[in-house]
Amino acid sequence: MDLREKSRQLLESGDVKAVIGYEQGTMGARRPAFVKKAEKADRLVFDEACAQNLATYLTRPEIRKLGRVAITARPDTLRAILQLMAERQVKEENVLALAGDGTVELASAQAIEEHLATSAKELPARDREILERLSKMDRAQRWAFWQGELSRCVKCYACRNSCPMCYCGHCTMDCNRPQWVPVASHALGNLEYHMVRAMHLAGRCVECGDCGRACPVGIPIHLLTFNCEESVHHQFGQRAGASSKLDYALSTFRPDDKETFIR
Amino acid sequence: MADNFFLPQASLDTLFAALAKDGRRILAPTDRDGRTELNPVDKPADVAKDYLQTILSAKEAAFPKVERLMSFTTGSKSVDLVDAEPHALPTVLFGVRPCEASGFRALDAVFNWDTRDRFFNARMEALAVIGVACTRKDDACFCTSVGGGPGSTAGSDILLTPVDGGFLAEVLTEKGKAMAALAPEAFKADPGLEKKVVDVPVAFDQPGLTRRLKDRFEDGIWVEQSLRCVGCGACAYVCPTCVCFDIVEESDAKGGHRLRTWDSCGGHMFTLHASGHNPRETQAQRWRQRVYHKFSYYPERYDMLGCVGCGKCTRACPVDMNLQEHLAEAAQA
């Protein structure tokens, strides 16, 4: 059995209302596909070129109202699903993850956790290399690097809108009474936006890199959230997307916290 | 009628030097950190090699992502308003593709619709375009489906088409003649050069699409096409003809500035009313608006299209909302 056959079965039996997967896109790219009818399942592909984290669609109103959906999931997608469950954005009974080659059914948070436990999270080699290069820079050099990169930002919010963890219906960036962050994509507006986003994702980023992939002007913006996430991991031994139970390092109080100021 | 010349590759240095001596800034595609971007250059060697297009469009030169419209200071009993002056440096846009060169017309339609926009017009007056015709394309390109072409002269003051050893130079406008006159020695007599550009096949019937849109407003096609759209503004911000802007104020107790910034109809707050009502509540309605604005409302209001077929939106889209493909689908019965 392959993914297409599996999808047909799931749709025909009424087990799921739609399969969120990938299809062939332009210029060799893979893109999200939403299959609601069994006879359309032949569009689906699931291979190495499938990069986007489809979990971002699980919190969309158009998808939520469908009911239970199946979703072809790479490890990053599975982590995002667990984190969304932990943050009570996705109900366990509404998602069926199709992992591995797309035929491995993971119907519960526990099944996803067990599946993920078999493979350790590793940053892509290219990202690890840039992060190492950045960590060797002094503050002034790093500042110059990010100033150069962020000067390219046009505030299209492709990074935010692609991120599975950026599901807020009303983002702080869109608040205009009061206006917390400047709308304009000038130096201050860009810097504030990306700092807020990085801090908001620290401890929640599943390191899929979709924000960086989405950026039309090629800013490696995922490195900011990756670095914050790695810090949280280093300091607190936690990783976002490891469990469906919320144990969020930056907002959980414990009487035995290692930081004395909080007690 | 164009005056044709042969511009040898080596003469580009002469032309660039003459333009700089005349006090003009030259903006051209550059290859910086692996990205093709429009930047100020000094010499032809700074211009990107073998580029297809820049990521962002040439509209930046006339309609920047942020522009100050005015400033104000608040006293105890008064407010002083100070008009901002357009930051319109004499500029030559070099190496712009014909699709983008023709895009300024669509911006002009809005910025001079009733009120003549001071900022846009000042920048356009100071701007001259030396386009370079296309000898390469990719799957996102569809200029010929929307009335353009890889060798189209529309919007360029001089259009260069690569030929052996240099360019065929078509000097098209008064601005073009003025630039050519700065370096007459660079422009040699045309030995009868053949203008050879890349072939871009027509992908869909555009007049048919525009007619078809009249009865497709409530069609389910927009819901289906937009399911994967994440609602960011990448398509609008890279677009050479997307002209929507937001006006915001940044101020403190002592005063502030009024700024104009790019805006996008894909954003969920774009048409949100103060009452809380939003006539375009769903992404499907916003996607439909994007298509209709360019292919129905623009032809209706300005007798032109709001799309030049450059394909930038398709290349920039994080989820591959391929415009050409969607238009072709919408054009079908």
Side-chain angles (χ1 to χ4, degrees), chain B residues 24-41:
Chain B
R24 305 191 197 210
R25 174 178 67 142
I26 303 172
L27 286 179
T30 59
D31 202 352
R32 203 167 283 182
D33 305 328
R35 284 161 272 191
T36 312
E37 304 172 330
L38 212 51
N39 278 309
V41 299

Side-chain angles (χ1 to χ4, degrees), chain B residues 236-281:
Chain B
Y237 292 177
V238 300
C239 176
T241 64
C242 267
V243 67
C244 288
F245 55 80
D246 190 9
I247 291 182
V248 295
E249 276 168 16
E250 293 178 359
S251 59
D252 57 27
K254 291 176 186 157
H257 308 286
R258 180 171 293 174
L259 307 172
R260 173 157 77 197
T261 71
W262 290 347
D263 204 350
S264 162
C265 61
H268 70 293
M269 288 173 70
F270 185 76
T271 46
L272 180 62
H273 296 180
S275 67
H277 171 67
N278 191 344
R280 290 186 212 134
E281 229 170 355

